[in-house]
Amino acid sequence: MDILKIAINVLEQASLFGLVAMGVFITYKILDFPDLSVDGTYPLGACISAVLLVNGVNAWVSIIVATIGGAIAGAITGFLHVKLKISNLMSGILVMIGLYSVNLLVMGNKSNTPLFQTTHIFSEVSGLFTTLLIVAVLLIIFKILLDIFMKTKVGFLLFAVGDNEQVVTSLGVNKNNIKIIGLMLSNGLVALSGGLTAQYNGYADVGMGTGVVVKGLACVIIGTSLLGRFRRVKSTTQAIIGTVIYYFAISVALKMKLNPNLLNLLTAGVLVIALSTQNELFKKKKTEVKGGAEENAEDQAAIESIQS
C-alpha cells in the first residue's frame, strides 16, 4: 500500500511538472532559445493563483489569470530579444531577475502565501486516485491542444524558425513575432503548472522556481534520449514520459536516504552528462544551400504545409 501511495504521488507531481517540460521543450528544442525566465514565470503563476485564491477568486479563474501572467512575461522576454536586440540568454536572465521582485509585490511583499484556509481545486478532493485523475486529465488536455497547435500554420512556423530563420523570412513572415508567440506559449504553460502546483502543495513561495529550468531540461533530455528514435511517439509524449522517469528516479534517490538538499546538484550532474554525451540532441540541422537551388527536405515540407 505504501508503494502504491508513493507511485501515485510521483505520478501526480510528474503530471503537474509535465506542463513545464512541454514549455521547456518549445523554447529549447523547437525555437533553440535558452529561456531562463522559466525560473521566474513558474513562481509567478503560483503567486498570482495564491493571491487570487486568498482574495476569494474562483480557483479555475486564478489558474487562467496565472497562465496569462506567464504568457505576458514570455512576451517581455521576446520583446527584449527581438526589439531591443539583447541576446536570448541575457533576455531570459533579466526577466527572471525582475520577476523575483514582481512575485514579492504580487504577494504583498511576503515570500510565502499559505492556502490551507482557502478553497481550491484540491482542497475538497477525497480518494486515493482523485487528485491524480484531475492533474492527469489536465495534462492530457493541454498535451492534445499543443499537438493540435503544432499542426497549424503558426506551429509549422515555430519549427521553421528554430531550424532556419531564413526560410520563414523568405515566406514573408515576421520571424520575430513567431519567436514571441513561442515564448508566450512556453511561459504560459510553465505559469499554469506553477499555479496548479501552488494549489496542490497548499502554498506559494517566491523561491519555488529555483532550478525549474534545469529540471525541465533533464526531463526533456531523458524523454528524447529514450524515445527520440521512435518517430511515431510525439515530442510532447516524450517530454511527459521523461518527466515521469525523472520523478521516479528522484523518489528512488530519496528512498535511499539521499540528502534532499543535493537533488538540484544531482539533476545538474545528470544534465551535464547527458548534454556532453548526447549533444547532438540539441544541434539543429541547418539547411545546406547548393547554388541557391537545393533546400533541406524538412524545410521544404514545412514550406508546403504553411503555403497550403
Side-chain angles (χ1 to χ4, degrees):
M1 191 64 177
D2 289 338
I3 296 178
L4 178 61
K5 289 182 178 180
I6 293 173
I8 292 174
N9 181 260
V10 168
L11 290 174
E12 289 172 355
Q13 295 184 50
S15 296
L16 289 169
F17 200 79
L19 295 166
V20 176
M22 289 193 296
V24 170
F25 178 84
I26 293 172
T27 51
Y28 279 83
K29 287 286 287 179
I30 296 179
L31 286 178
D32 197 18
F33 191 107
D35 183 21
L36 295 183
S37 61
V38 166
D39 277 11
T41 51
Y42 185 77
L44 174 65
C47 294
I48 291 176
S49 180
V51 170
L52 292 177
L53 285 172
V54 171
N55 286 277
V57 178
N58 179 271
W60 293 105
V61 174
S62 73
I63 292 298
I64 295 174
V65 176
T67 304
I68 295 173
I72 293 173
I76 294 173
T77 302
F79 177 82
L80 293 177
H81 176 59
V82 304
K83 299 298 182 182
L84 301 184
K85 306 303 179 183
I86 300 174
S87 68
N88 49 18
L89 185 63
M90 185 56 67
S91 296
I93 292 175
L94 291 173
V95 172
M96 176 185 67
I97 293 174
L99 285 178
Y100 184 85
S101 297
V102 171
N103 293 337
L104 286 173
L105 292 174
V106 168
M107 293 199 297
N109 296 318
K110 296 185 299 181
S111 62
N112 186 287
T113 299
L115 300 175
F116 300 111
Q117 303 299 322
T118 61
T119 301
H120 53 78
I121 297 173
F122 307 106
S123 60
E124 298 179 357
V125 171
S126 60
L128 189 61
F129 295 95
T130 308
T131 300
L132 175 59
L133 180 63
I134 293 174
V135 294
V137 168
L138 288 173
L139 177 63
I140 292 172
I141 289 174
F142 282 98
K143 176 208 172 326
I144 294 174
L145 291 175
L146 184 58
D147 287 338
I148 294 174
F149 173 79
M150 289 304 175
K151 293 181 179 180
T152 64
K153 178 179 179 179
V154 179
F156 280 113
L157 286 171
L158 280 176
F159 283 100
V161 168
D163 277 335
N164 194 323
E165 296 181 358
Q166 294 180 349
V167 173
V168 179
T169 303
S170 66
L171 293 172
V173 178
N174 191 328
K175 64 181 180 181
N176 293 333
N177 291 338
I178 300 301
K179 286 183 179 181
I180 293 177
I181 291 174
L183 287 166
M184 291 179 66
L185 181 60
S186 171
N187 284 277
L189 286 171
V190 172
L192 169 65
S193 176
L196 289 171
T197 302
Q199 296 189 34
Y200 176 82
N201 292 333
Y203 69 92
D205 190 280
V206 292
M208 63 189 297
T210 303
V212 165
V213 66
V214 176
K215 289 170 59 179
L217 272 174
C219 295
V220 170
I221 291 174
I222 291 171
T224 53
S225 298
L226 297 178
L227 302 172
R229 69 190 67 180
F230 303 104
R231 295 192 174 186
R232 292 187 178 182
V233 180
K234 294 184 179 295
S235 301
T236 50
T237 303
Q238 295 175 14
I240 292 171
I241 293 177
T243 305
V244 174
I245 295 174
Y246 170 81
Y247 270 90
F248 267 109
I250 293 299
S251 178
V252 171
L254 291 175
K255 277 295 181 181
M256 296 174 64
K257 306 300 181 181
L258 177 71
N259 187 343
N261 295 326
L262 298 178
L263 288 180
N264 283 341
L265 180 61
L266 175 64
T267 302
V270 171
L271 193 57
V272 168
I273 296 172
L275 288 176
S276 61
T277 58
Q278 301 184 15
N279 197 37
E280 69 275 9
L281 290 173
F282 284 83
K283 288 181 179 177
K284 297 291 183 179
K285 292 182 179 180
K286 301 299 181 180
T287 303
E288 294 182 1
V289 180
K290 298 181 180 179
E294 297 183 8
E295 293 180 325
N296 183 277
E298 294 181 358
D299 291 338
Q300 184 63 38
I303 292 174
E304 293 175 356
S305 301
I306 293 168
Q307 292 176 338
S308 60

